[in-house]
Amino acid sequence: MNKGNKIYEGKAKILYETDNPDQLIQYFKDDATAFNAAKRGTIDQKGVINNKISAKMFEFLQSQNIPNHYIKLLSDREMLVKRVEIVKIEVIIRNVAAGSLCRLLAFEEGARLSQPVLEFCYKEDKLGDPLINEDHVRALKLATDEEIATIKTYAHRVNELMTKFFKSLNIDLIDFKLEFGRYQGKIILADEISPDTCRLWEVGTQRKLDKDRFRRDLGNIEEAYQEVLARVSQ
Ligand code: TMP
């Protein structure tokens, strides 16, 4: 697989063209940012670990009939993916209050929500990825009504599947962020699924095994990411 032109570089990943116009190489960096890049750093080996964890999660979700962009691993830091047109919405599902929900609505961190809470954010760095609702999605023409319905159905199903999956590894899925894309006229899951994009707490100890260790300077970041990789590889 020949690596062609770089077509996009984000905070954590780079996308390269390939010989096939329908496929891209997704390269995972060690760079880490938080609070809309106000905080920057690197996490040793993060790119390697997140590439492998994402591959596992996409393989699992594919086996459960959630279509996604993953094709195969190419190297330690690279996976081959379907080339999608990304929907400019970050879809967040929360099972337990943490992070921005605590700041926004004064929930206590760790409070279990009476039902999963789905949020949309407008994926626009210069606006700081603001929280939006479905009317904003329509007004901004980010997705059609049919696409919104599909995205919500997939997001809730992913929550059910990943909650069970992580529970079997003694990990509580607190919340996570998904991104979707359009491929051959259909909505499929894209981007990554990793400790950068999920909050994962060890059952019992509530030890944080995710990017909050970086956001909040809790230390032992690489160890936490390795721990998640070891468990999803079981
Ligand atoms: P939040 O509590 O900061 O809004 O984050 C909710 C979830 O979404 C959490 O698992 C981290 C993830 N997330 C991202 O993947 N990218 C982002 O840019 C943000 C803000 C959150």
Side-chain angles (χ1 to χ4, degrees):
M1 181 57 59
N2 289 319
K3 201 150 137 187
N5 292 327
K6 185 200 284 195
I7 57 157
Y8 174 81
E9 178 157 6
K11 287 176 278 198
K13 298 186 294 298
I14 306 173
L15 293 172
Y16 297 94
E17 286 180 325
T18 67
D19 305 334
N20 184 332
D22 290 330
Q23 299 181 350
L24 298 175
I25 293 171
Q26 176 162 266
Y27 176 97
F28 287 74
K29 304 193 280 186
D30 287 347
D31 297 350
T33 62
F35 314 115
N36 203 24
K39 181 182 173 100
R40 290 173 181 276
T42 58
I43 301 170
D44 218 27
Q45 294 300 308
K46 176 171 82 83
V48 175
I49 301 168
N50 281 357
N51 185 35
K52 292 179 183 165
I53 294 174
S54 286
K56 287 278 176 200
M57 297 314 300
F58 284 133
E59 281 167 13
F60 166 68
L61 291 172
Q62 185 66 54
S63 78
Q64 303 297 312
N65 300 315
I66 305 289
N68 63 69
H69 72 157
Y70 175 77
I71 300 173
K72 64 176 181 180
L73 279 176
L74 294 174
S75 70
D76 262 7
R77 289 178 183 273
E78 293 168 324
M79 58 171 60
L80 188 65
V81 298
K82 293 170 181 162
R83 182 180 195 145
V84 301
E85 180 202 344
I86 211 79
V87 176
K88 286 184 66 174
I89 302 172
E90 299 197 346
V91 182
I92 293 169
I93 296 227
R94 303 176 186 275
N95 298 306
V96 172
S100 66
L101 185 67
C102 298
R103 293 193 291 275
L104 187 70
L105 297 175
F107 276 98
E108 198 165 319
E109 186 184 55
R112 187 154 291 273
L113 302 167
S114 56
Q115 57 155 84
V117 171
L118 182 146
E119 295 173 357
F120 290 133
C121 293
Y122 182 23
K123 189 174 153 59
E124 186 62 82
D125 279 339
K126 62 177 190 282
L127 299 176
D129 298 342
L131 189 63
I132 54 174
N133 66 26
E134 284 182 36
D135 284 342
H136 295 120
V137 171
R138 280 187 280 271
L140 289 162
K141 297 191 169 38
L142 301 180
T144 65
D145 285 355
E146 194 188 341
E147 287 173 336
I148 298 170
T150 304
I151 286 170
K152 287 169 69 174
T153 301
Y154 281 149
H156 283 295
R157 184 79 187 119
V158 167
N159 186 39
E160 290 165 10
L161 292 164
M162 293 212 308
T163 295
K164 276 202 199 106
F165 177 82
F166 280 113
K167 191 56 73 65
S168 76
L169 307 175
N170 222 30
I171 291 174
D172 213 354
L173 179 62
I174 304 302
D175 60 31
F176 59 92
K177 184 261 303 182
L178 300 175
E179 293 184 27
F180 293 87
R182 299 178 184 94
Y183 184 75
Q184 298 178 347
K186 294 213 162 60
I187 290 288
I188 66 173
L189 187 57
D191 194 50
E192 68 175 287
I193 300 177
S194 72
D196 273 13
T197 63
C198 303
R199 283 196 175 89
L200 303 167
W201 295 0
E202 187 174 52
V203 172
T205 65
Q206 303 206 318
R207 182 163 61 106
K208 293 177 170 55
L209 299 174
D210 58 63
K211 195 172 158 190
D212 270 350
R213 302 203 76 81
F214 169 78
R215 294 188 190 98
R216 294 159 67 169
D217 298 318
L218 300 176
N220 299 101
I221 312 172
E222 188 192 339
E223 289 78 357
Y225 279 59
Q226 290 285 10
E227 176 76 36
V228 174
L229 175 58
R231 293 195 195 191
V232 304
S233 305
Q234 276 172 21

